[in-house]
Amino acid sequence: MARPATVRDLVEHQAALQPQAVYAVGAEGGLKLTFGELAASCRNVAALLRSHGLQPGDTVSLVMPNGLMTLQLLLGAMHGGWCVNPVNLLSQPEQMRYVLEHSDCKLVFATPEWEAAVRTALECVDRPVTVVVIEADAVVERTTSPAVIPANAGIHPAYPCLDPGLRRDDDGLPDRVALLMYTSGTTGAPKGVMLSNANLAANAHAISEEHALTDTDRVLAVLPLYHINAFAVTMLAPLAHGGSLAMPRKFSAARLWAQAFECECTWLNVVPTMISYLLEGAAPPREQTSRLRFCRSASAALPPEHLRAFESKFGVGIIETMGLTETVAPAFSNPLDAAQRKLGSVGRASGCEAQVIDANLAAVADGQTGEIAIRGPNVMLGYYKNEAATCATFTPDGWLRTGDLGHRDADGFFFVTGRIKELIIKGGENIAPREIDEALLRHPAVLDAAAVGIPDRHYGQEIMACIVLRDGHTADEDGLRDFCTVQLGRYKTPKLFRFVKELPRGPSGKVQRLKLVDLAG
């Protein structure tokens, strides 16, 4: 049997193989969704969309927090050939307006608490857009909406016949845009990343194979589904290996360990910010971590000090990974075998090819710093309605330019040192902000830190560091400056220090450094 190549294939394969097995469980309330019920709900979602006049290929936006209904709407729309656009709930009103307008969506699903914001955003949109208000914590077959047919209405959940409308253009489904997800850049308008069914299915398989996941594995899904990592890793990957997910309404550092235990999870998928919060809490009883095979850290660089502290405190190994929205999240991963992992590395290329290139787009030797580039079945089709940005992001021979600076070692492990746009150039010398961040994080009073370049009339740029202190700890500029001088040397020691309550971060957990420049005063 051919490997499933679309979201529809992934759902149907599991529904045929194990219809009664649980695909998703609500971490609060205990609602469960089996693979057979998921396949049936996909037809209900198709019926709902058609009742509102939408045809496959149209874009459907979602302004919804995590929930079993959110899962079913996303998967059901993609299963039927529609393109989904999950909107970042951290968006400012103008950003939400831009995304809903630019995406050309025909319908928006929103939960009651988001209805007013969505309708306000749509006031300036010059086309008809239907708004459907629906709760996030439900299953499609139990909704009271008259547009949704019951899951068992003449449809056998184990292997239901496809709606005739879903048969159309099936041969072209792998190449059809299934996900339109907008990046949260630090400057300019967000860019809509177009990902095909084939992109999504390929990475679901790659994630499953990389971590040796099976139908006995269950992930605690604490990241929001408008985040590419959650979308790909916690929602789609279990469809490839037949595993399952447990979905809390939101991340809670105080509840995470108990939720993982109560829901019988075998692995975690988090971002570095969450790891920082967990390190501030107490270690849970050993029984609450006994089932966990590993914790997967993704989307942003994890400071080595935090990795060591996490493994020591909780007894759970961390697999560091990295990817982009443009690569359906993970493109690099450290090995499952802890003995083969490399501290400070994002790992080896996973499910794709990767290389390091210079300013002339030529590959550089191992050990040399340059821009990391990626090519493979997980790489996006391009940016929606933005041909110039698409062309600028790809090399003539088809490599995706990530904008990340780093190098590859002789064993094929990649190390990321920063973003090209965030590189600090002081007196002609390139300084990676991450090097300064990691030095500051070794200070006992520092919870979080981010360095950024600021204008300087002598050096071109100087260094400013923004600091978040741990509760109950104090530190002053002079003390931090002395500490950095020992750790980094005088040239790389920040000129300015600013103390802040939190650092600005995008939905993936990456610090948005360029937003810090205004703090220089």
Side-chain angles (χ1 to χ4, degrees):
M1 180 178 176
R3 191 159 85 164
T6 67
V7 172
R8 182 188 302 169
D9 291 343
L10 290 170
V11 171
E12 295 297 340
H13 176 70
Q14 296 301 337
L17 192 66
Q18 47 175 358
Q20 301 305 317
V22 172
Y23 162 63
V25 58
E28 297 100 353
L31 281 175
K32 294 182 179 179
L33 182 71
T34 67
F35 286 109
E37 290 168 340
L38 173 63
S41 79
C42 286
R43 283 130 188 91
N44 290 334
V45 173
L48 175 59
L49 293 174
R50 288 182 182 279
S51 75
H52 286 288
L54 275 72
Q55 295 297 316
D58 290 340
T59 297
V60 179
S61 295
L62 285 88
V63 183
M64 301 178 67
N66 282 5
L68 293 190
M69 177 62 80
T70 310
L71 272 179
Q72 291 171 96
L73 293 174
L74 288 169
L75 292 170
M78 291 188 293
H79 178 285
W82 283 272
C83 170
V84 296
N85 165 230
V87 178
N88 183 354
L89 299 187
L90 300 179
S91 299
Q92 296 299 312
E94 173 55 26
Q95 292 174 317
M96 182 178 291
R97 184 210 62 75
Y98 176 85
V99 168
L100 293 178
E101 180 176 38
H102 188 268
S103 66
D104 294 320
C105 63
K106 299 287 184 68
L107 180 146
V108 181
F109 286 112
T111 48
E113 69 271 24
W114 284 98
E115 180 184 4
V118 168
R119 292 193 186 280
T120 298
L122 291 172
E123 286 176 358
C124 300
V125 175
D126 190 23
R127 67 173 187 279
V129 181
T130 301
V131 178
V132 176
V133 181
I134 197 163
E135 293 285 355
D137 288 311
V139 288
V140 168
E141 66 191 56
R142 297 171 191 168
T143 183
T144 58
S145 171
V148 179
I149 59 175
N152 59 357
I155 301 174
H156 191 278
Y159 200 72
C161 296
L162 287 177
D163 179 322
L166 300 183
R167 294 180 183 276
R168 298 186 312 174
D169 304 323
D170 198 48
D171 291 342
L173 191 57
D175 297 324
R176 183 180 293 175
V177 179
L179 172 62
L180 179 62
M181 186 168 279
Y182 283 76
T183 59
S184 55
T186 55
T187 58
K191 296 192 290 290
V193 176
M194 296 186 293
L195 295 165
S196 69
N197 266 279
N199 291 151
L200 300 178
N203 233 30
H205 292 297
I207 294 161
S208 300
E209 292 164 6
E210 184 68 56
H211 301 320
L213 295 166
T214 72
D215 58 6
T216 63
D217 282 304
R218 176 172 291 172
V219 59
L220 187 65
V222 293
L223 293 170
L225 287 169
Y226 56 75
H227 181 318
I228 188 62
N229 191 278
F231 195 99
V233 179
T234 59
M235 183 176 75
L236 293 180
L239 292 172
H241 60 261
S244 58
L245 61 95
M247 178 167 284
R249 293 187 182 94
K250 60 182 180 180
F251 168 71
S252 167
R255 287 279 298 141
L256 180 136
W257 300 113
Q259 288 171 337
F261 175 70
E262 292 162 4
C263 296
E264 302 181 338
C265 293
T266 62
W267 60 293
L268 306 174
N269 183 44
V270 298
V271 295
T273 307
M274 293 175 174
I275 289 175
S276 294
Y277 286 128
L278 290 169
L279 285 171
E280 290 295 289
R286 177 60 186 149
E287 68 171 7
Q288 291 191 357
T289 60
S290 60
R291 290 194 191 95
L292 294 172
R293 293 173 50 210
F294 62 89
C295 175
R296 183 181 181 281
S297 177
S299 300
L302 178 66
E305 293 300 313
H306 286 186
L307 188 151
R308 292 191 193 96
F310 185 95
E311 293 188 339
S312 174
K313 184 170 185 174
F314 303 122
V316 179
I318 288 183
I319 297 177
E320 188 168 6
T321 68
M322 192 195 80
L324 310 166
T325 303
E326 289 86 344
T327 62
V328 198
F332 300 91
S333 178
N334 270 275
L336 188 60
D337 181 0
Q340 296 182 35
R341 299 173 199 157
K342 291 198 177 186
L343 191 65
S345 169
V346 297
R348 297 177 296 213
S350 177
C352 60
E353 301 175 80
Q355 64 175 355
V356 180
I357 59 177
D358 62 20
N360 296 317
L361 310 183
V364 303
D366 288 343
Q368 292 187 16
T369 297
E371 182 179 6
I372 296 173
I374 298 169
R375 183 171 64 183
N378 58 332
V379 174
M380 69 170 182
L381 301 177
Y383 295 114
Y384 187 54
K385 297 192 296 191
N386 197 336
E387 185 177 352
T390 299
C391 291
T393 301
F394 285 94
T395 66
D397 53 349
W399 290 85
L400 174 76
R401 302 180 62 180
T402 66
D404 286 311
L405 286 171
H407 67 273
R408 180 179 61 194
D409 71 8
D411 297 321
F413 283 74
F414 286 77
F415 294 78
V416 177
T417 54
R419 297 282 297 169
I420 290 177
K421 292 180 180 178
E422 296 172 350
L423 189 68
I424 301 169
I425 306 176
K426 178 181 176 181
E429 180 178 344
N430 293 343
I431 299 173
R434 186 181 176 185
E435 181 183 2
I436 301 167
D437 299 351
E438 292 180 358
L440 284 162
L441 287 169
R442 291 193 283 270
H443 191 286
V446 176
L447 173 66
D448 211 351
V452 64
I454 56 175
D456 183 85
R457 66 190 184 93
H458 297 296
Y459 289 103
Q461 280 189 312
E462 255 293 0
I463 305 166
M464 178 179 70
C466 293
I467 307 294
V468 179
L469 293 176
R470 296 182 183 277
D471 288 342
H473 290 71
T474 60
D476 58 25
E477 285 199 44
D478 290 341
L480 289 173
R481 188 172 288 109
D482 291 344
F483 180 82
C484 286
T485 300
V486 173
Q487 297 285 322
L488 298 163
R490 188 173 300 278
Y491 198 76
K492 293 182 181 180
T493 292
K495 178 181 180 180
L496 294 178
F497 291 87
R498 293 289 183 265
F499 295 94
V500 297
K501 291 184 178 180
E502 63 180 2
L503 299 175
R505 295 181 182 273
S508 67
K510 293 179 182 177
V511 176
Q512 296 178 317
R513 294 180 194 272
L514 300 184
K515 290 185 177 181
L516 298 171
V517 175
D518 292 341
L519 297 177

